[in-house]
Amino acid sequence: MATKLDISKYGGSPASTRRSPTPASLRASWTQDRTTRNHAINVQIANIRKAKKVDFCIVMDCTGSMARHLAACSSHVLRLVEYVGKINGSVQVRWGFVGYRDHEDGARRLEWLDFRNDDGRAFRTVVGEIQAFGGGDEPEDVLGGLWEAMQRLSWSGGTKIIFHVGDAPPHGRIFTSGSDNYPGGDPNGLRHETVLRKMRSLGILYYFGSINNSTDRMIEIFQQTLGKITVFNVKSTQPQTLVDQFVKASSVAIAQSVMLTSTIAFANASTLGKADLPMDPNQPDNWKNVPTIKGTSYTFNIPKSMDKIMSLEYWTRANLISGSVAIKVAEKPFSKGVERYAYYGRSIKAMSKDEAVVLKKFADEGSVSDFERYLTSLEVQTIAAYMAFEFNRYNCTLSLLLLINDVLQLLKLSVHCALFPPAANAKKVKFLKARVIKTAAYGEPRYCSEEPLYRDANFKRFNCNAGVITEFHSTLEAFAHFTYQFTEGYLVVTDLQGAEYQTEFILTDPAILCVDNLRFGQTNLGSGGIKECFVANHRCNSVCQQLGLKVIGA
Ligand SMILES: [Zn+2]
């Protein structure tokens, strides 16, 4: 039997000795009062709840060449239901299907199954019985299939998805130069622009499963209307691998879509509808030609106790540590997140080599509260760094005990073996060290956040503050759980994004859900958010268990 460790030994202090936080945050200038904030949060949580109701429709070519894919599509659904249930327990999916063939196939040109909320059972049976036949010339009635999905199915979910799988393009010379009975396009006059505009107006998110390159041109053309399309690989000729590819594609499509739909709730109204700044994905050719800007840097000391995390006095300007800095900033940003643009930069050092950094600026800056907003993001990242420190320390202590256990086992002192749980496989969690920089290059103060350049090709978002897990890692979900337990339910560190390495995760830009809803900016959804976005979705995993965390939802 595993012995649970007492987490309170590893940091913090008993809750009874803590000062309760003062009623209003000192960094609350972005909002008016708790009542207004409560109202805004309730609206956001209602949106998130809605976004977690998903209509998922697979639109699939059912002509002669598609038998393998129909079989994989039918059998992947039960595994998918199980996977979604395990990873994102609060997401509810209704399953729908449209199969299309070609104009020569008469009454069996189109077949469909309306959305069902039955864990994919009807989907599995119906799709399993569909036969792959017909087709004729190379293109198929792709547009008819997509149109049917929008017309026939009863779309009502907060998140609407079409996952389209096919091995041939639509009719028409713009899509193919192969043999085509309708080179002028759809014989019923259906145009792709009409289909795609309808899709956009219904708020349906489109994904494609690619089998060969005959549909590449179609995706290029579709992207002109829909923007960047995520294309999944469903090319395997091995039946089991093909099922795996379907499970992966469908689960990513569902998680990404729910995240996207619920993120719209957070996008600052003032940046929505505003054209993006022109971007440049490359670093400047020669940093020597980029002017140096002088400024002041600000950081907070890592708090190292729960008292300090909860004490609003700790996070005031009086406690900032400042220093002089010199930086260079690329002229154009290289990317844009929900709220901020990211620029390449250089931190100029007098005594050593310049450091490559990333500078982040709010897209809608220019208000009096700019400095406070930057300090809020600094506060979030500093607290997350402290939580990671405690998590790693706790995990380390556990590892040491495990080592002792191993030694005892080696010495055949089996009587002690039962004292300790099996080896923990948690990786370390680290956050990039951030600071706020104030410059006055153009007469008025300008701010940005700075962190070391850590651009990794594998940079990903693992989960978001709406509580959707886009890529599951037991360590990261256990880390979120750890922060909840360590702070006795006061906060949860979420929105984990960064890169995974052999022994650690390097993360940046987290968000904090906290019972004090006037702290941590607009991504903090208060105690309602902790309940809806963390507790309702979290399923304890092996790392939670090995760390001895109290089971959530038991
Ligand atoms: Zn857990």
Side-chain angles (χ1 to χ4, degrees), residues 481 538 540 544:
H481 184 171
H538 182 77
C540 280
C544 297

Side-chain angles (χ1 to χ4, degrees), residues 477-482 534 538-541 543-545 549-552:
E477 299 316 314
F479 170 67
H481 184 171
F482 173 86
F534 172 68
H538 182 77
R539 301 287 179 270
C540 280
N541 62 57
V543 176
C544 297
Q545 224 172 21
L549 299 176
K550 278 185 218 117
V551 178
I552 284 177

